[in-house]
Amino acid sequence: LIEGCFPQRCCKIFNATKKLVAEIRRKVDPTTNVMLGKEVFMLCVQPDFDVSFAMGLVLVLDQINGENFFDNGTTETSVHPTTED
């Protein structure tokens, strides 16, 4: 179960028994107490939960929401297979 608002990077992830296992939160600059942009967030995972699975959920949520926080502004080249004569 995932509750919250992923586009705002504010979500809680619960297991089947409703125990909190991971949380996505936006980072706050400790010197100014200013919340940083949506692309700067923390993924806090409980010790008994698979970190890779939690990150996979973040990637799926990112794809569902149509945003890509890994985009660095460069254009990616696509590779197309060719057939040999």
Side-chain angles (χ1 to χ4, degrees), residues 10 21 27 29 34 48 55 68:
C10 181
V21 292
K27 280 188 148 184
D29 182 341
V34 172
D48 58 341
M55 190 60 204
N68 187 356

Side-chain angles (χ1 to χ4, degrees), residues 6-60:
F6 182 77
Q8 292 300 316
R9 306 305 187 256
C10 181
C11 293
K12 292 182 179 185
I13 302 169
F14 298 92
N15 66 10
T17 62
K18 306 277 186 190
K19 177 185 172 198
L20 180 66
V21 292
E23 187 174 4
I24 301 165
R25 288 183 278 176
R26 286 174 61 180
K27 280 188 148 184
V28 176
D29 182 341
T31 59
T32 60
N33 284 333
V34 172
M35 188 174 293
L36 301 174
K38 289 188 301 185
E39 67 280 352
V40 183
F41 62 92
M42 297 184 300
L43 173 61
C44 303
V45 180
Q46 295 298 316
D48 58 341
F49 195 68
D50 185 359
V51 176
S52 298
F53 184 72
M55 190 60 204
L57 289 173
V58 170
L59 294 173
V60 168

